[in-house]
Amino acid sequence: MAEEHHGGGASPVLRVEAESSSEQRVASSRGAMSREDCVEGIRSALKHPTVRFLREEMEKAGCQVWPRLIQAATCSTAGGYASREGIKVCCNHMRLQDEINQVIIHELIHAYDDCVTKNMNWRNCAHHACSEIRANHLSGDCHYKRELLRGFMKIRGHEQDCVKRRALMSVKTNPYCSEAASKDAIEAVWNICYNDTRPFDRAP
Protein backbone atom coordinates (compact mmCIF):
# COMPACT_ATOMS: atom_id res chain seq x y z
CA MET A 1 0.00 0.00 0.00
CA ALA A 2 1.29 3.48 -0.78
CA GLU A 3 0.14 6.73 0.74
CA GLU A 4 1.33 10.21 -0.16
CA HIS A 5 2.29 12.38 2.82
CA HIS A 6 3.19 16.05 2.80
CA GLY A 7 5.32 17.40 5.63
CA GLY A 8 6.08 21.02 6.38
CA GLY A 9 7.82 22.15 3.22
CA ALA A 10 9.13 18.65 2.52
CA SER A 11 8.59 16.89 -0.77
CA PRO A 12 5.80 14.29 -0.91
CA VAL A 13 6.70 10.96 0.65
CA LEU A 14 5.12 7.70 -0.46
CA ARG A 15 4.55 5.31 2.41
CA VAL A 16 4.95 1.73 1.26
CA GLU A 17 3.02 -0.59 3.53
CA ALA A 18 2.70 -4.30 4.06
CA GLU A 19 -0.67 -5.72 3.16
CA SER A 20 -3.23 -5.60 5.94
CA SER A 21 -4.57 -8.73 7.59
CA SER A 22 -7.44 -8.82 5.11
CA GLU A 23 -6.32 -12.25 3.90
CA GLN A 24 -6.24 -13.65 7.41
CA ARG A 25 -9.11 -15.12 9.34
CA VAL A 26 -9.19 -12.14 11.72
CA ALA A 27 -9.08 -8.87 9.78
CA SER A 28 -9.78 -6.46 12.61
CA SER A 29 -8.42 -5.38 15.96
CA ARG A 30 -10.45 -8.04 17.78
CA GLY A 31 -8.08 -10.35 19.58
CA ALA A 32 -5.11 -8.05 18.98
CA MET A 33 -2.42 -7.92 21.64
CA SER A 34 -2.13 -4.91 23.93
CA ARG A 35 0.18 -2.06 22.93
CA GLU A 36 2.50 -3.00 25.79
CA ASP A 37 2.74 -6.59 24.54
CA CYS A 38 3.23 -5.32 21.00
CA VAL A 39 6.12 -3.07 22.05
CA GLU A 40 7.69 -6.00 23.87
CA GLY A 41 7.12 -8.10 20.74
CA ILE A 42 9.00 -5.53 18.65
CA ARG A 43 11.89 -5.71 21.11
CA SER A 44 11.86 -9.50 20.82
CA ALA A 45 11.75 -9.28 17.02
CA LEU A 46 14.99 -7.29 17.02
CA LYS A 47 16.69 -10.47 18.26
CA HIS A 48 15.26 -12.56 15.39
CA PRO A 49 18.16 -13.82 13.21
CA THR A 50 16.66 -12.48 9.96
CA VAL A 51 15.90 -9.08 11.47
CA ARG A 52 19.43 -8.85 12.87
CA PHE A 53 20.90 -9.91 9.52
CA LEU A 54 18.94 -7.28 7.58
CA ARG A 55 19.86 -4.50 10.01
CA GLU A 56 23.52 -5.51 9.80
CA GLU A 57 23.43 -5.58 6.00
CA MET A 58 21.83 -2.14 5.95
CA GLU A 59 24.58 -0.80 8.18
CA LYS A 60 27.26 -2.38 5.97
CA ALA A 61 25.66 -0.71 2.94
CA GLY A 62 25.82 2.66 4.70
CA CYS A 63 22.07 2.86 5.27
CA GLN A 64 20.75 4.89 8.16
CA VAL A 65 19.52 2.55 10.90
CA TRP A 66 18.39 5.00 13.56
CA PRO A 67 17.17 3.99 17.05
CA ARG A 68 13.49 4.63 16.28
CA LEU A 69 13.56 3.04 12.83
CA ILE A 70 10.81 0.66 13.99
CA GLN A 71 7.85 2.05 15.93
CA ALA A 72 4.59 0.73 17.37
CA ALA A 73 1.46 2.34 15.97
CA THR A 74 -2.31 2.05 15.60
CA CYS A 75 -3.31 2.03 11.95
CA SER A 76 -5.41 0.43 9.23
CA THR A 77 -2.82 -1.99 7.84
CA ALA A 78 -0.46 -4.58 9.31
CA GLY A 79 2.54 -2.31 8.96
CA GLY A 80 4.34 0.10 6.69
CA TYR A 81 7.54 1.78 5.62
CA ALA A 82 8.09 5.34 4.42
CA SER A 83 11.29 7.04 3.30
CA ARG A 84 12.81 9.21 6.02
CA GLU A 85 10.09 8.06 8.43
CA GLY A 86 10.92 4.41 9.01
CA ILE A 87 8.84 1.34 9.81
CA LYS A 88 5.59 1.10 11.72
CA VAL A 89 4.12 -2.04 13.23
CA CYS A 90 0.35 -1.70 13.60
CA CYS A 91 -0.30 -3.17 17.04
CA ASN A 92 -4.07 -3.25 16.54
CA HIS A 93 -3.53 -5.98 13.91
CA MET A 94 -0.91 -8.02 15.78
CA ARG A 95 -1.97 -11.18 17.60
CA LEU A 96 1.18 -13.30 17.51
CA GLN A 97 4.92 -12.76 17.77
CA ASP A 98 5.31 -14.35 14.34
CA GLU A 99 3.12 -11.64 12.81
CA ILE A 100 5.33 -8.92 14.30
CA ASN A 101 8.44 -10.69 13.03
CA GLN A 102 6.99 -10.97 9.52
CA VAL A 103 5.93 -7.33 9.30
CA ILE A 104 9.36 -6.13 10.42
CA ILE A 105 11.23 -8.45 8.02
CA HIS A 106 8.97 -7.41 5.12
CA GLU A 107 9.39 -3.71 5.85
CA LEU A 108 13.14 -3.98 6.41
CA ILE A 109 13.43 -5.33 2.86
CA HIS A 110 11.62 -2.19 1.65
CA ALA A 111 13.98 -0.07 3.76
CA TYR A 112 16.98 -1.91 2.32
CA ASP A 113 15.71 -1.38 -1.25
CA ASP A 114 15.03 2.28 -0.55
CA CYS A 115 18.63 2.72 0.58
CA VAL A 116 20.64 0.64 -1.88
CA THR A 117 18.61 1.02 -5.09
CA LYS A 118 19.90 3.91 -7.17
CA ASN A 119 17.24 6.53 -7.92
CA MET A 120 14.52 4.60 -6.09
CA ASN A 121 11.19 6.28 -6.81
CA TRP A 122 8.07 4.97 -5.04
CA ARG A 123 5.88 6.88 -7.53
CA ASN A 124 7.26 4.65 -10.27
CA CYS A 125 5.01 1.56 -10.49
CA ALA A 126 7.86 -0.66 -11.66
CA HIS A 127 10.09 0.40 -8.76
CA HIS A 128 7.30 -0.16 -6.24
CA ALA A 129 6.39 -3.50 -7.84
CA CYS A 130 9.98 -4.71 -7.69
CA SER A 131 10.29 -3.98 -3.98
CA GLU A 132 6.94 -5.64 -3.25
CA ILE A 133 7.95 -8.75 -5.20
CA ARG A 134 11.20 -8.93 -3.26
CA ALA A 135 9.60 -8.26 0.12
CA ASN A 136 6.87 -10.87 -0.32
CA HIS A 137 9.28 -13.44 -1.74
CA LEU A 138 12.24 -13.00 0.60
CA SER A 139 10.38 -12.38 3.86
CA GLY A 140 8.64 -15.74 3.88
CA ASP A 141 5.22 -14.08 3.65
CA CYS A 142 4.26 -16.68 1.06
CA HIS A 143 5.39 -19.81 2.88
CA TYR A 144 2.86 -22.56 2.19
CA LYS A 145 1.83 -22.78 5.86
CA ARG A 146 0.89 -19.09 5.86
CA GLU A 147 -1.00 -19.55 2.62
CA LEU A 148 -2.96 -22.46 4.10
CA LEU A 149 -3.93 -20.27 7.06
CA ARG A 150 -5.19 -17.64 4.60
CA GLY A 151 -7.35 -20.27 2.92
CA PHE A 152 -5.27 -20.76 -0.22
CA MET A 153 -4.92 -24.50 -0.67
CA LYS A 154 -2.92 -24.68 -3.91
CA ILE A 155 0.39 -26.49 -3.45
CA ARG A 156 2.09 -26.51 -6.85
CA GLY A 157 3.30 -23.04 -7.77
CA HIS A 158 1.70 -21.49 -4.70
CA GLU A 159 4.67 -19.32 -3.76
CA GLN A 160 4.93 -17.37 -7.01
CA ASP A 161 1.15 -17.00 -7.22
CA CYS A 162 1.14 -15.65 -3.67
CA VAL A 163 3.96 -13.19 -4.36
CA LYS A 164 2.17 -11.84 -7.44
CA ARG A 165 -1.17 -11.61 -5.63
CA ARG A 166 0.20 -9.81 -2.60
CA ALA A 167 2.44 -7.53 -4.65
CA LEU A 168 -0.58 -6.49 -6.73
CA MET A 169 -2.64 -5.82 -3.60
CA SER A 170 0.01 -3.36 -2.44
CA VAL A 171 1.01 -1.68 -5.70
CA LYS A 172 -2.55 -0.98 -6.86
CA THR A 173 -3.11 1.14 -3.74
CA ASN A 174 -0.29 3.43 -4.86
CA PRO A 175 -2.05 6.64 -6.00
CA TYR A 176 0.26 6.75 -9.02
CA CYS A 177 -0.56 3.18 -10.15
CA SER A 178 -3.88 1.93 -11.50
CA GLU A 179 -4.67 -1.76 -11.19
CA ALA A 180 -3.84 -2.26 -14.87
CA ALA A 181 -0.56 -0.37 -14.53
CA SER A 182 0.27 -2.38 -11.41
CA LYS A 183 -0.30 -5.68 -13.21
CA ASP A 184 1.82 -4.53 -16.16
CA ALA A 185 4.61 -3.38 -13.83
CA ILE A 186 4.68 -6.68 -11.94
CA GLU A 187 4.87 -8.67 -15.17
CA ALA A 188 7.54 -6.37 -16.60
CA VAL A 189 9.93 -6.66 -13.65
CA TRP A 190 8.98 -10.15 -12.44
CA ASN A 191 11.98 -12.18 -13.58
CA ILE A 192 14.69 -9.78 -12.52
CA CYS A 193 13.10 -8.83 -9.20
CA TYR A 194 11.93 -12.29 -8.14
CA ASN A 195 15.45 -13.58 -8.72
CA ASP A 196 17.10 -10.63 -6.97
CA THR A 197 17.80 -12.12 -3.55
CA ARG A 198 20.03 -9.38 -2.12
CA PRO A 199 21.18 -9.27 0.64
CA PHE A 200 20.30 -12.91 1.40
CA ASP A 201 22.68 -14.09 -1.32
CA ARG A 202 25.42 -13.11 1.14
CA ALA A 203 23.89 -14.88 4.13
CA PRO A 204 26.27 -17.31 5.88
Side-chain angles (χ1 to χ4, degrees), residues 50 53-54 57 109 112-113 116 130-131 133-139 159 189-204:
T50 305
F53 172 76
L54 284 167
E57 288 299 311
I109 293 169
Y112 177 88
D113 288 351
V116 304
C130 188
S131 191
I133 290 167
R134 282 175 34 78
N136 282 289
H137 173 43
L138 299 175
S139 67
E159 201 270 349
V189 303
W190 175 259
N191 287 334
I192 189 169
C193 297
Y194 184 82
N195 292 301
D196 180 0
T197 59
R198 296 171 302 157
F200 294 97
D201 55 350
R202 294 191 293 275

Side-chain angles (χ1 to χ4, degrees), residues 46-77:
L46 297 178
K47 302 173 186 176
H48 188 283
T50 305
V51 173
R52 290 175 61 181
F53 172 76
L54 284 167
R55 285 167 57 92
E56 289 167 3
E57 288 299 311
M58 288 178 67
E59 289 172 350
K60 289 178 186 176
C63 306
Q64 187 178 11
V65 186
W66 60 95
R68 291 180 61 80
L69 172 66
I70 304 168
Q71 299 186 50
T74 298
C75 33
S76 61
T77 59

